[in-house]
Amino acid sequence: MGGKSEPAKSESMATTTTSPDLINSSFFSFKSLKLKTKQQELLLRIAILGLVYILAFIARLFSVLRYESMIHEFDPYFNYRTTLFLTEKGFYEFWNWFDSESWYPLGRIIGGTLYPGLMVTAALIYWALRFLRFFVHIREVCVLTAPFFASNTTLVAYFFGKEIWDTGAGLVAAVLIAICPGYISRSVAGSYDNEAVAIFALLLTFYLFVKAVNTGSLAWALGSAFGYFYMVSAWGGYVFIINLVPLYVLVLLITGRYSMRLYIAYNCMYILGMLLAMQIRFVGFQHVQSGEHMGAMGVFLLMQVFYFLDWVKYQLNDTKLFQTFLRITVTSAILVGGIALGVGTASGYISPWTGRFYSLLDPTYAKDHIPIIASVSEHQPTAWSSFMFDYHILLFLFPAGLYFCFKRLSDATIFIVMYGLTSLYFAGVMVRLILVATPAVCLISAIAVSATVKNLTSLLRTKQKVSQTGSTKGAGSSKASSKVTLDQSQPFQKNGAIALLVGVFYLLSRYAIHCTWVTSEAYSSPSIVLAARGAHGNRILFDDYREAYYWLRQNTPTDAKIMSWWDYGYQITAMGNRTVIVDNNTWNNTHIATVGRAMSSNEDEAYEIMRSLDVNYVLVVFGGVTGYSSDDINKFLWMVRIGGGVFPVIKEPDYLVNGEFRVDKGASPKMLNCLMYKLCYYRFGELTTEYGKPPGYDRARGGEIGNKDIKLEHLEEAYTTSNWIVRIYRVKPPTNRL
Amino acid sequence: MVVQTNLSHRIIVLFFLLPLLSALADSASDSDLINELVSLRSSSPDSGVIHLYDDDVSKFLTSVPTPRPYSLIIFFDSVDLHSNSQLRLQKLRREFGLVSSTFISNNNGSNNGTKLFFCEIESTHSEASFHLFDVETLPHISFVSPTTENLTESDQMDGGDFAGLAESMTEFVERLTKLTVGPIQRPPLLTKTQIGIIVALIIISAPVLVKKILKGETLLHDRRIWLTGAVLVYFFSVSGTMFNIIREMPLYVKDYEDESKFVFFMEGSEMQLGVEGYTVGFLYTVVGLLLAFVTHMLVRVKNLNEQRMTMLLSLVISFWAVRQVVYLDNWKTEYEIYPYWPSSWRR
């Protein structure tokens, strides 16, 4: 074999590079190439990975095909606007940018209040492309950043799977994550959000850390520290890493798996990662000051205690003496740590946990105390159907994968089990965190698929070659599978194996079908252009949002201040280029509550508030004509709740009738006279929306409105888009004093 | 003439005497009423909330002339509506009880303790009282001040006062009565004896535990325990337990049209009931564990027939479970998932 390896290698090189004579040769087959099995396998693996890489990219292009190359939703518009600023003005201007166009009259220090990772990444790609003389628009770069990073994630998933199980599991994991709806939902083309690069960074950090724990090499640990730095620069979800990794280390310590490798990996990753993370201004000194990061520091100190004890044990040969020493050290270490934490918290040096973090640990907390978190639809708890929708068969495979992991327990499988379970719990608390759990679910399910298929196929093979029953060539690397093949000497016939295999492949094909459908129908909508099916099954597009924003841009004074609910703030500044009162950053609850109060007060009171905020235009989103259900009337109760949280004059029950939210004749008088109601339904009573229904029939709520004769005193209608989705009103200047 | 004047004198005397007498009688009956209320309060099983029936309402409210020497705060309850989780009747009732017990313990022995009584009226026994107070919707809490004559005009606690539960109810009471209820004393999660027992147990077991941990033979080192825990975490996550806890969803609801029927599954992907989540979570777990069982355990069974049968059975069960879940999901989300075949394949 050794002698043959040289020519075989050169030929395999020839196949991977271009070689016209090989393609022309009539006896083209693997045999003629004389590839060794290992090389064949490598070739196959690279080919599969390449295909998966492309698949992950193109599956996310449905949104471009169905609509157009545009930025989606809300937050991405802010990211786009800042990226544009970064590429035009340069990094230092971007870093020191004070934005006076949002949060009027407060303004916002952009450089210090955002995670710059995404923008810098996109800008670097843009500059690299320009350097290579590809003159693309920055928007295209932004649109395609998410699919590009999703493709990269598949590669990381492959290496991760290889690290915790074997190459087969790695490949399956890559395929699963490439099309998993849980990940696609946040990474379709145009969804230019922090999560797009953050999941890549998250998985990379974990992979490098596990690699560092497995090898005990400083280089991998350094890599994981830089991965962590990238993650911190990209997304606030880094808090998950800085808590999961110490938890993992703690579990290893408890279960008696402390090793020098772990010591090196964690110390290097923690110290370097912390120092690097402090360079991000938005994060600053939180690693040493905030309660959310204290666990990591505690575990770091605990590691030192362990190391010290190990050293003392080595020095002392007397076990009894060591036991006493151990007791004293552990007690004093815990005492000192506890006192330090207590003093730090009491003196205010260590800040307590933030609401978002707290609501993860105690799920009912947000509902009772922080309406601004509870109001966001992606912060809702997850019903089982959402899990099914986003994971499909992975959910069936997950327990099997868990079982396999426990069968072959190692430092790496412990990590993936912990990652899977913690993130699944968090996914149950908030819908958006399904995204974080997706890589873990894919990896664990991949282990299940790969191990099962491997067991079954090796079974089939051994049956075929009756003479070599003992040989477990194909599954030599995996302990578990070799055990299985050895165990089953006689029974468990071929038929059974084939039936199981068919079952597994049937499931996988259903998964592929599900993912494709979900990607194309559910997750590719940009939500800025709305699509509906017409009476004849044809697609109708509502482009009202952009129509309204461009109207603002063309027809209002450049210094006009627009008041709207915070959802539309980013879009108005990015597309309309006008100043807004509040936007999606939600950093100042009082300011948002003021807007909520204005919207839920009657016109006179609202006018006072709007005057005090220098508002020139008010923008509301209304779905009564089109039946668009996520409009301002349906969000109205949240405005009341958030407003009432700061201004007790606003009371939710005043807007309800018997605990029910109504807009028809039975609605509460406060509801019928509040600003939001008037602005949404102004002149709506004259309009017939549906055949056979009276005028003023609201299609989103399915009822005739209660107040058809709305008179505006301090505002006047300025513009209403073609489908009435966006309505803009001008605030009149005060009348002359008499 | 004489007779005349005599008569008029008598009338005048009577005129002066009557109020005096009635006042005397009143004060006697007042203290009787208060005593009766106090005894009712002390005999009431929970937190001193007096259960009023229609007779009691007339006795303590309608037939007593104003100003009454006490005020009543009345919680209107309905057992039939307890199953409606949106109304939160039972929770509000518990909070109401808390306010009551706090008031009693803070004003015990003082004069103020007999000026306010916490009562409840239940709809099935006392429909007439509901009409009397003109109660149409629940939750409804009314405050009857000493001067209230027409019960329909009693002060009603509005939704904003329920929102903050016991604390805001207290504010409402204090605002109207000018009496102090005091800070709400919620019962601790564990009583003192329970805490004592737990602490004692920990102290006793501590040396054993420490020894075991050092030796490495605790449950923490048993991977089966970890596996069970892991599967449980998985099960509770995917079955949407968090959703049930946060939204306080009941396990099942009664059918609106037919009271004897139960609804276990709810349409619409935004909602779920307790039972449906657990059912689906169970189906997931069964299939996954069967897969692990077939590949790792079944191969060790020696008997060929047994093996085949088990295998067949687990295949059938898995197939059925997957179909069920997919069917339920399609029904719930109203999505119809279909593959995109090339258009040339379509006829």
Side-chain angles (χ1 to χ4, degrees):
Chain A
M1 271 313 240
K4 276 185 184 173
S5 73
E6 265 317 309
K9 199 172 191 178
S10 62
E11 287 217 26
S12 83
M13 294 274 281
T15 49
T16 46
T17 57
T18 50
S19 122
D21 51 352
L22 248 181
I23 294 163
N24 291 336
S25 62
S26 54
F27 42 89
F28 174 75
S29 71
F30 275 124
K31 261 187 189 167
S32 70
L33 287 172
K34 288 189 191 120
L35 285 172
K36 284 197 297 181
T37 327
K38 241 186 179 170
Q39 288 166 328
Q40 280 180 18
E41 200 227 337
L42 183 73
L43 191 67
L44 264 177
R45 221 186 312 156
I46 292 173
I48 292 175
L49 271 183
L51 286 175
V52 169
Y53 194 86
I54 296 168
L55 173 71
F57 193 85
I58 56 173
R60 286 163 171 81
L61 295 184
F62 269 116
S63 56
V64 176
L65 292 178
R66 291 187 164 246
Y67 297 88
E68 59 181 83
S69 173
M70 67 165 123
I71 307 284
H72 290 190
E73 299 200 315
F74 306 105
D75 286 20
Y77 271 96
F78 169 76
N79 300 331
Y80 173 59
R81 179 166 161 246
T82 46
T83 314
L84 204 63
F85 189 89
L86 172 63
T87 51
E88 278 169 4
K89 303 261 172 77
F91 189 73
Y92 287 101
E93 281 283 308
F94 168 70
W95 206 231
N96 296 319
W97 181 14
F98 178 79
D99 179 19
S100 55
E101 285 198 355
S102 55
W103 292 94
Y104 183 87
L106 309 169
R108 176 182 172 192
I109 308 157
I110 298 267
T113 57
L114 92 173
Y115 294 100
L118 177 75
M119 297 92 193
V120 174
T121 308
L124 283 178
I125 296 174
Y126 173 69
W127 285 325
L129 286 174
R130 286 184 80 86
F131 178 74
L132 296 171
R133 296 299 179 267
F134 289 106
F135 285 95
V136 290
H137 193 273
I138 180 70
R139 196 189 58 230
E140 314 302 334
V141 177
C142 294
V143 165
L144 295 179
T145 300
F148 174 62
F149 272 87
S151 292
N152 295 340
T153 309
T154 60
L155 289 189
V156 181
Y158 163 72
F159 285 111
F160 204 170
K162 192 179 159 194
E163 191 61 33
I164 52 178
W165 202 258
D166 57 15
T167 47
L171 281 179
V172 178
V175 179
L176 291 183
I177 204 169
I179 54 171
C180 184
Y183 185 26
I184 284 188
S185 65
R186 290 319 195 100
S187 62
V188 291
S191 143
Y192 179 57
D193 210 347
N194 290 336
E195 288 94 327
V197 297
I199 291 305
F200 167 76
L202 178 95
L203 204 59
L204 185 69
T205 313
F206 283 154
Y207 162 63
L208 292 173
F209 183 72
V210 169
K211 188 91 186 168
V213 172
N214 275 348
T215 56
S217 121
L218 266 178
W220 289 115
L222 184 70
S224 113
F226 274 100
Y228 179 64
F229 172 59
Y230 187 50
M231 177 71 189
V232 173
S233 78
W235 193 35
Y238 77 88
V239 178
F240 180 60
I241 300 186
I242 201 64
N243 282 294
L244 178 65
V245 168
L247 191 67
Y248 163 65
V249 173
L250 194 67
V251 166
L252 287 191
L253 292 184
I254 289 174
T255 49
R257 284 173 165 268
Y258 170 77
S259 66
M260 207 55 209
R261 294 176 282 115
L262 185 68
Y263 183 79
I264 293 171
Y266 184 67
N267 284 348
C268 177
M269 189 261 177
Y270 177 65
I271 293 294
L272 272 177
M274 180 172 76
L275 289 177
L276 284 170
M278 284 178 185
Q279 312 309 313
I280 306 295
R281 249 207 300 175
F282 192 29
V283 178
F285 292 116
Q286 280 188 30
H287 277 75
V288 288
Q289 286 190 335
S290 112
E292 288 153 23
H293 302 73
M294 280 303 125
M297 186 178 274
V299 170
F300 172 72
L301 296 176
L302 197 65
M303 286 289 275
Q304 311 315 315
V305 174
F306 257 78
Y307 184 73
F308 179 63
L309 286 176
D310 230 32
W311 179 74
V312 172
K313 194 178 182 183
Y314 176 72
Q315 296 289 325
L316 287 176
N317 285 322
D318 189 354
T319 36
K320 242 188 185 168
L321 209 62
F322 176 70
Q323 294 284 338
T324 345
F325 180 74
L326 183 75
R327 226 164 289 149
I328 295 167
T329 343
V330 169
T331 328
S332 50
I334 292 172
L335 266 180
V336 169
I339 290 170
L341 193 68
V343 169
T345 319
S347 64
Y349 179 74
I350 299 171
S351 65
W353 289 346
T354 57
R356 244 170 256 239
F357 192 72
Y358 202 78
S359 65
L360 277 181
L361 298 181
D362 174 14
T364 49
Y365 180 79
K367 190 182 129 204
D368 295 339
H369 298 93
I370 340 171
I372 202 132
I373 291 183
S375 76
V376 182
S377 67
E378 57 188 24
H379 291 166
Q380 301 307 313
T382 318
W384 69 265
S385 53
S386 311
F387 275 113
M388 182 67 195
F389 199 62
D390 280 354
Y391 292 142
H392 202 238
I393 62 147
L394 301 186
L395 284 177
F396 294 111
L397 297 170
F398 191 85
L402 275 184
Y403 182 79
F404 285 107
C405 284
F406 274 99
K407 270 282 168 190
R408 208 175 103 186
L409 221 48
S410 68
D411 289 356
T413 48
I414 290 179
F415 181 82
I416 195 67
V417 166
M418 287 190 57
Y419 173 28
L421 291 179
T422 46
S423 57
L424 253 190
Y425 164 73
F426 291 142
V429 178
M430 274 189 204
V431 169
R432 74 187 298 200
L433 293 180
I434 280 190
L435 177 73
V436 176
T438 304
V441 173
C442 286
L443 278 164
I444 292 180
S445 310
I447 289 173
V449 172
S450 161
T452 312
V453 170
K454 200 164 205 170
N455 286 352
L456 296 175
T457 45
S458 61
L459 208 77
L460 286 180
R461 263 190 236 158
T462 43
K463 279 290 147 195
Q464 280 161 6
K465 304 172 197 165
V466 187
S467 54
Q468 310 177 5
T469 25
S471 105
T472 51
K473 209 167 141 197
S477 61
S478 135
K479 259 191 224 162
S481 53
S482 67
K483 207 170 170 186
V484 168
T485 37
L486 283 176
D487 278 346
Q488 61 82 224
S489 39
Q490 296 270 319
F492 203 57
Q493 301 300 325
K494 223 165 136 185
N495 308 347
I498 289 176
L500 260 184
L501 266 184
V502 168
V504 169
F505 282 114
Y506 174 73
L507 277 184
L508 288 176
S509 62
R510 294 305 308 185
Y511 176 68
I513 289 170
H514 176 88
C515 293
T516 325
W517 188 88
V518 166
T519 310
S520 134
E521 301 286 326
Y523 285 145
S524 289
S525 155
S527 89
I528 188 122
V529 175
L530 310 163
R533 294 263 173 221
H536 308 290
N538 52 328
R539 265 160 63 90
I540 308 170
L541 292 182
F542 300 125
D543 204 356
D544 286 40
Y545 279 107
R546 293 198 289 182
E547 185 187 338
Y549 298 144
Y550 291 138
W551 184 87
L552 280 177
R553 174 172 250 182
Q554 305 291 342
N555 298 291
T556 59
T558 45
D559 62 347
K561 274 72 110 179
I562 320 279
M563 182 173 91
S564 71
W565 190 232
W566 59 266
D567 295 19
Y568 316 105
Y570 279 164
Q571 294 178 346
I572 295 172
T573 40
M575 281 187 273
N577 199 18
R578 291 294 176 268
T579 305
V580 294
I581 309 295
V582 290
D583 66 25
N584 311 45
N585 188 238
T586 63
W587 64 275
N588 189 326
N589 191 22
T590 316
H591 217 50
I592 291 181
T594 311
V595 173
R597 185 185 174 185
M599 293 296 191
S600 38
S601 308
N602 64 41
E603 202 185 339
D604 292 332
E605 288 164 14
Y607 186 65
E608 288 299 311
I609 299 171
M610 291 190 290
R611 291 288 303 161
S612 71
L613 290 171
D614 297 348
V615 173
N616 302 112
Y617 290 88
V618 183
L619 180 147
V620 294
V621 171
F622 173 60
V625 178
T626 49
Y628 171 53
S629 63
S630 46
D631 65 349
D632 277 348
I633 292 284
N634 282 355
K635 289 175 186 169
F636 182 66
L637 274 189
W638 287 109
M639 303 183 199
V640 172
R641 270 172 217 157
I642 292 170
V646 177
F647 305 104
V649 283
I650 307 287
K651 283 186 188 146
E652 188 182 338
D654 293 345
Y655 298 87
L656 301 176
V657 180
N658 297 340
E660 204 182 345
F661 181 63
R662 297 171 69 164
V663 295
D664 54 7
K665 279 211 174 64
S668 73
K670 268 225 160 147
M671 179 71 209
L672 290 175
N673 284 310
C674 72
L675 183 71
M676 179 54 77
Y677 191 92
K678 280 182 153 184
L679 296 190
C680 283
Y681 291 120
Y682 182 62
R683 291 200 300 116
F684 185 66
E686 306 158 12
L687 188 77
T688 308
T689 52
E690 213 167 299
Y691 177 74
K693 294 281 192 308
Y697 179 79
D698 183 335
R699 294 179 67 191
R701 256 73 48 184
E704 191 182 345
I705 61 167
N707 186 357
K708 288 190 185 175
D709 183 33
I710 293 172
K711 296 265 185 301
L712 289 173
E713 195 182 336
H714 304 292
L715 294 105
E716 59 188 1
E717 187 177 3
Y719 187 70
T720 295
T721 55
S722 44
N723 297 302
W724 287 54
I725 290 181
V726 183
R727 311 197 69 183
I728 301 170
Y729 292 84
R730 199 170 72 84
V731 181
K732 288 186 199 165
T735 46
N736 289 351
R737 289 163 208 253
L738 296 171
Chain B
M1 247 339 240
V2 175
V3 180
Q4 279 267 333
T5 46
N6 229 344
L7 204 102
S8 64
H9 270 271
R10 272 179 201 171
I11 287 169
I12 290 166
V13 166
L14 259 177
F15 255 97
F16 278 103
L17 265 179
L18 258 176
L20 202 73
L21 275 173
S22 71
L24 270 175
D26 266 9
S27 69
S29 65
D30 277 357
S31 59
D32 280 352
L33 283 174
I34 287 180
N35 283 339
E36 197 174 344
L37 278 172
V38 170
S39 74
L40 272 176
R41 178 163 80 182
S42 53
S43 65
S44 102
D46 66 322
S47 50
V49 177
I50 303 164
H51 198 114
L52 295 182
Y53 296 94
D54 288 343
D55 312 342
D56 303 322
V57 172
S58 72
K59 184 157 120 200
F60 293 118
L61 290 174
T62 40
S63 57
V64 184
T66 53
R68 287 179 286 267
Y70 46 77
S71 352
L72 295 185
I73 178 158
I74 303 171
F75 183 92
F76 291 86
D77 198 2
S78 166
V79 176
D80 298 336
L81 291 174
H82 281 184
S83 59
N84 187 340
S85 64
Q86 275 185 339
L87 296 180
R88 304 192 299 164
L89 274 183
Q90 281 169 303
K91 185 169 187 188
L92 288 172
R93 173 63 185 78
R94 274 197 300 279
E95 297 289 316
F96 185 74
L98 264 180
V99 180
S100 163
S101 58
T102 309
F103 175 79
I104 294 167
S105 68
N106 283 342
N107 293 291
N108 204 5
S110 81
N111 245 349
N112 292 339
T114 56
K115 284 188 180 163
L116 176 67
F117 292 92
F118 289 78
C119 312
E120 70 173 330
I121 296 179
E122 211 280 319
S123 65
T124 40
H125 307 299
S126 330
E127 241 174 84
S129 308
F130 269 61
H131 288 302
L132 213 57
F133 279 89
D134 198 20
V135 178
E136 279 168 358
T137 58
L138 292 181
H140 187 115
I141 298 179
S142 277
F143 174 76
V144 187
S145 70
T147 51
T148 308
E149 282 194 41
N150 188 353
L151 290 180
T152 51
E153 285 163 13
S154 56
D155 291 293
Q156 194 197 336
M157 196 185 279
D158 61 17
D161 294 315
F162 300 136
L165 301 174
E167 280 73 11
S168 56
M169 285 188 199
T170 309
E171 272 174 34
F172 170 81
V173 173
E174 290 182 344
R175 191 171 67 227
L176 288 175
T177 58
K178 310 283 183 295
L179 299 172
T180 44
V181 176
I184 295 295
Q185 298 149 358
R186 289 179 189 275
L189 278 178
L190 297 168
T191 59
K192 273 180 189 166
T193 43
Q194 278 169 327
I195 292 173
I197 290 168
I198 290 170
V199 169
L201 277 179
I202 289 173
I203 290 173
I204 292 165
S205 58
V208 186
L209 281 180
V210 168
K211 199 175 168 191
K212 280 210 160 180
I213 287 174
L214 290 177
K215 273 190 181 172
E217 25 175 81
T218 49
L219 292 175
L220 287 176
H221 295 82
D222 188 347
R223 62 177 65 173
R224 265 170 302 178
I225 300 287
W226 285 90
L227 178 61
T228 320
V231 171
L232 280 180
V233 169
Y234 160 82
F235 171 73
F236 284 117
S237 296
V238 296
S239 56
T241 310
M242 284 301 134
F243 185 95
N244 294 339
I245 293 175
I246 295 173
R247 293 280 171 81
E248 292 171 8
M249 293 306 287
L251 279 179
Y252 54 85
V253 288
K254 275 183 186 165
D255 202 332
Y256 284 119
E257 288 155 12
D258 186 357
E259 284 280 311
S260 59
K261 274 186 191 164
F262 294 107
V263 177
F264 293 104
F265 286 83
M266 215 181 231
E267 214 163 334
S269 55
E270 301 286 297
M271 272 303 221
Q272 78 164 38
L273 291 171
V275 167
E276 70 175 277
Y278 292 125
T279 315
V280 175
F282 178 71
L283 291 180
Y284 290 145
T285 318
V286 161
V287 175
L289 291 182
L290 272 181
L291 185 62
F293 171 75
V294 166
T295 46
H296 269 121
M297 299 285 193
L298 198 60
V299 285
R300 302 211 179 133
V301 177
K302 289 279 179 266
N303 188 334
L304 197 69
N305 275 336
E306 251 175 55
Q307 210 180 41
R308 281 185 183 153
M309 285 314 293
T310 326
M311 167 110 183
L312 202 66
L313 197 68
S314 46
L315 270 180
V316 169
I317 291 176
S318 308
F319 186 71
W320 173 80
V322 174
R323 290 236 3 196
Q324 275 300 311
V325 172
V326 170
Y327 163 76
L328 278 174
D329 188 55
N330 287 347
W331 170 77
K332 193 172 177 67
T333 55
E334 293 177 353
Y335 282 124
E336 193 196 337
I337 289 162
Y338 52 86
Y340 295 109
W341 299 121
S343 45
S344 59
W345 290 14
R346 282 187 210 138
R347 266 171 276 156

